[in-house]
Amino acid sequence: AVDILKPMNSCFIISPFSVDFDSLSRIIEDAANQVGLIPMRTDKIQANQDILKEIEEGIKSAKIVVVIYSPVVDDLSKLNVLYELGFAHALGKSTLVVKEKNQQLPFDLGFRRYIEYNQEELSKKSRDMVLKIKDSMHIMLDKMVKKNNQLTNPDNENVSVIHKMHLIPEFWTKI
């Protein structure tokens, strides 16, 4: 079992609780494994306590959050998925939405990174889907590395004085 409270290189997968999304979840898990992330699914959490707390901790510790968006599931499942996605956005997590081609995203999500799939072709083209998701994850991870390099380079003019104080112990002696 994975300790969900321990920060790690994980990919947290948010999906409706339905067997209809098992094959897509496995595809996402495969892509995550291929980029070196540990996939964690909301529907696989065995909570000893509050499941919402477990989900929140999983999202907090994840490098990437992938969301299976499907408005065709019951309203409660859809709301749970959107709640968890909103939590990830509030934390500033890198998110990727996976949705079926014929489904429209809510307005606020339409401008974010997403990948479309065709349910009928999913089993025949699973390798293509893994590649699409994997490529998106690579792009997201590369952006994180670049952002981290900018924030940890004290010579970068975009790094704030407060951040430089933490990066350079000698900063305090220069004042």
Side-chain angles (χ1 to χ4, degrees), residues 51-67:
I51 183 118
L52 185 56
K53 181 178 167 88
E54 299 283 331
I55 290 169
E56 288 172 352
E57 291 302 323
I59 292 170
K60 284 178 190 177
S61 68
K63 290 238 188 249
I64 294 176
V65 176
V66 179
V67 179

Side-chain angles (χ1 to χ4, degrees), residues 10-15 42 52 55-68 79-97 109 112-113 140 144 147:
S10 65
C11 169
F12 198 79
I13 303 166
I14 299 170
S15 71
T42 54
L52 185 56
I55 290 169
E56 288 172 352
E57 291 302 323
I59 292 170
K60 284 178 190 177
S61 68
K63 290 238 188 249
I64 294 176
V65 176
V66 179
V67 179
I68 298 174
L79 292 175
N80 287 344
V81 166
L82 290 175
Y83 173 84
E84 293 164 21
L85 175 59
F87 184 72
H89 284 164
L91 293 175
K93 292 293 179 176
S94 293
T95 60
L96 173 62
V97 174
L109 297 180
R112 299 198 181 250
R113 180 181 302 276
M140 295 163 76
M144 281 183 235
K147 183 178 179 180

Side-chain angles (χ1 to χ4, degrees), residues 149-157 159-160 163-164 167-168:
N149 286 342
Q150 287 178 339
L151 291 176
T152 57
N153 180 356
D155 296 327
N156 184 337
E157 62 188 42
V159 176
S160 71
H163 195 73
K164 286 180 184 182
L167 291 174
I168 312 170

Side-chain angles (χ1 to χ4, degrees):
V2 175
D3 181 0
I4 199 165
L5 300 177
K6 182 181 175 189
M8 61 184 72
N9 286 336
S10 65
C11 169
F12 198 79
I13 303 166
I14 299 170
S15 71
F17 289 115
S18 171
V19 294
D20 297 339
F21 301 102
D22 280 351
S23 60
L24 184 54
S25 292
R26 283 191 297 276
I27 288 170
I28 297 167
E29 288 174 353
D30 191 17
N33 282 322
Q34 289 184 32
V35 298
L37 297 175
I38 300 166
M40 300 170 62
R41 289 173 47 180
T42 54
D43 61 336
K44 299 297 181 191
I45 292 175
Q46 297 177 359
N48 297 332
Q49 51 187 347
D50 180 10
I51 183 118
L52 185 56
K53 181 178 167 88
E54 299 283 331
I55 290 169
E56 288 172 352
E57 291 302 323
I59 292 170
K60 284 178 190 177
S61 68
K63 290 238 188 249
I64 294 176
V65 176
V66 179
V67 179
I68 298 174
Y69 177 77
S70 177
V72 296
V73 297
D74 65 86
D75 285 340
L76 189 56
S77 291
K78 180 172 48 176
L79 292 175
N80 287 344
V81 166
L82 290 175
Y83 173 84
E84 293 164 21
L85 175 59
F87 184 72
H89 284 164
L91 293 175
K93 292 293 179 176
S94 293
T95 60
L96 173 62
V97 174
V98 180
K99 72 172 200 73
E100 195 161 355
K101 276 188 180 177
N102 63 353
Q103 296 172 345
Q104 187 169 346
L105 289 171
F107 176 79
D108 293 347
L109 297 180
F111 299 102
R112 299 198 181 250
R113 180 181 302 276
Y114 67 88
I115 292 177
E116 295 181 317
Y117 69 95
N118 183 327
Q119 184 66 40
E120 290 81 37
E121 297 177 0
L122 195 57
S123 61
K124 291 181 254 176
K125 296 188 176 186
S126 65
R127 285 186 184 179
D128 294 342
M129 192 64 180
V130 168
L131 186 60
K132 277 185 191 178
I133 294 170
K134 187 174 89 170
D135 287 347
S136 288
M137 287 179 174
H138 274 298
I139 290 168
M140 295 163 76
L141 291 168
D142 286 346
K143 283 183 180 181
M144 281 183 235
V145 168
K146 287 178 185 172
K147 183 178 179 180
N148 190 42
N149 286 342
Q150 287 178 339
L151 291 176
T152 57
N153 180 356
D155 296 327
N156 184 337
E157 62 188 42
N158 296 322
V159 176
S160 71
V161 173
I162 293 171
H163 195 73
K164 286 180 184 182
M165 290 186 294
H166 295 286
L167 291 174
I168 312 170
E170 305 85 47
F171 179 88
W172 294 101
T173 59
K174 293 179 184 178
I175 295 179

